[in-house]
Structures are given as structure tokens and as C-alpha cells.
Amino acid sequence: MTKTSSAMTPSAKAPTARERLLAAANELFYAEGVQTVGIDRIIEHAGVAKASLYNTFGGKEQLIRAYLDSRHVRLTERLLRAVEAAEDPRDRLLAVFDAQVELFAQQTYHGCAFVAASAEAKHGSAIEEASDTSRAWIRALFTDLAREAGVPDPEALARQLHLLYDGGGVSARMDRDPSAGAVAREAAGVLIDAALSKRP
């Protein structure tokens, strides 16, 4: 039997400085807050030179923006995966809350990254812009799903569901109550059925 040479075995590609900085930012910013964690801690945690951060991102605010953008990508992937797994239009709306139920059950859940970051952000900052973009996407998702379900006023239902979505996240974090997701889902079902009953 011929042994496979280590030279022929493909090795995992080492993460780039950007990837290491983003990974460190995701861990520290999410757990402790974007303003609490200083640049030096991010650099030390990532194991890169200080110049790498400034060459890659330009500064802390741009790193925070990249961190939030990466959180948004993960958020959209999680919600779309849940929605696409459901077939019935009503279930597709509720699938957004099903994804929350799963998220809240994780021990690493520390609340919404966008709520936390924007609470510390200046008006008009890149941080606020990233948070606004993410929130607009969620509202649009609810609106599109409500329209697909044939709700007469999809924008109104989307606003109601978005409020429930936000409230579930705050309750799960502030009350340390993972069951908030199931409560929000139940309330969403009542709102959806009420909206559907108004169809001509």
C-alpha cells in the first residue's frame, strides 16, 4: 500500500488578516459591545499587527461596519433558509419566528447585534447606516411574505410582525427567557390569521 505524501495532501488555507480581524470582532464586539472593546484587544485576539487593521479597514468604525455587515449576511441566510423550508404562505411568515426560537435557545445569544451597536452609535454614522439597512431588509421580507400570502394590507402586517420580532429579541435577552421566541410566534399567528380573514 502506498502512503500518501503530505506534500500531496491539500492543507487548509490559513485565514487572512481580514478574516482573523473579523472573527475577533464578531466574538468580542457581540459579547461585550462595540464601544467597550478597544482596537488593541481586537488586534491581540486576532494575532495580527496593528498596521493590518488600518490597512484593511482604515479604522475602528469601518471594522464595526464590516462586523455588522457580516452579521447581516448571517441573519439573512438564517431567515431565508427557514422561509424556504416552508411551503404554505402562512407558514413562511411564521418561519421567521421559528428561526428566532432556534436562535434564542443558543447559549451564545446576547441579543440583537444591531440594537446593541446602534445604541452606542452617533446619528448618521456607518454603524447606524448598517443597522438601518438590516432593519429595512427584515421589514421588506415580512412585507413580501405577507403579500405572497394575499394579505390585503401587507405593509401594515409587516410592521406588526416586525414589532413582535424586535420584542421577542429584547425579551429573550433582557429577561433571559428563550421561550420569548415561542410567545412571539404564537402572537404572530394571531395577527396573520386576523389579516388573512380580511381578504375579500
Side-chain angles (χ1 to χ4, degrees):
M1 179 184 256
T2 306
K3 289 186 179 180
T4 304
S5 166
S6 59
M8 295 173 65
T9 305
S11 58
K13 186 179 178 182
T16 64
R18 186 181 195 282
E19 290 168 340
R20 289 159 71 182
L21 284 163
L22 264 181
N26 258 298
E27 183 178 337
L28 296 175
F29 284 159
Y30 184 62
E32 302 176 30
V34 297
Q35 300 302 337
T36 303
V37 178
I39 285 293
D40 290 339
R41 280 195 64 205
I42 295 287
I43 292 167
E44 180 183 1
H45 201 71
V48 300
K50 181 174 277 192
S52 294
L53 186 144
Y54 291 102
N55 290 338
T56 305
F57 295 102
K60 184 177 180 182
E61 184 168 333
Q62 291 85 349
L63 174 61
I64 297 171
R65 174 63 192 263
Y67 150 71
L68 291 174
D69 287 345
S70 73
R71 300 292 303 193
H72 178 65
V73 169
R74 290 160 63 180
L75 167 72
T76 59
E77 289 175 347
R78 186 177 71 250
L79 295 185
L80 289 176
R81 187 164 53 246
V83 167
E84 288 165 6
E87 295 183 6
D88 180 78
R90 179 181 184 274
D91 291 341
R92 285 166 65 81
L93 277 163
L94 289 174
V96 177
F97 295 92
D98 289 332
Q100 272 198 318
V101 170
E102 291 182 11
L103 181 65
F104 298 165
Q106 297 176 8
Q107 291 186 340
T108 54
Y109 180 70
H110 297 300
C112 175
F114 297 94
V115 170
S118 61
E120 304 178 73
K122 294 179 181 178
H123 179 63
S125 67
I127 299 168
E128 186 179 69
E129 183 181 316
S131 299
D132 289 348
T133 298
S134 187
R135 290 184 60 74
W137 184 89
I138 293 171
R139 180 68 67 86
L141 175 65
F142 276 130
T143 304
D144 290 344
L145 292 173
R147 187 174 291 113
E148 288 173 13
V151 172
D153 190 348
E155 289 81 8
L157 179 62
R159 186 180 183 196
Q160 293 171 336
L161 295 179
H162 200 176
L163 284 170
L164 273 178
Y165 177 93
D166 287 344
V170 171
S171 181
R173 170 60 176 157
M174 298 297 291
D175 301 329
R176 293 171 290 282
D177 179 15
S179 70
V183 175
R185 186 191 190 284
E186 183 179 356
V190 173
L191 288 172
I192 293 166
D193 288 342
L196 290 172
S197 71
K198 296 176 182 176
R199 288 182 297 187

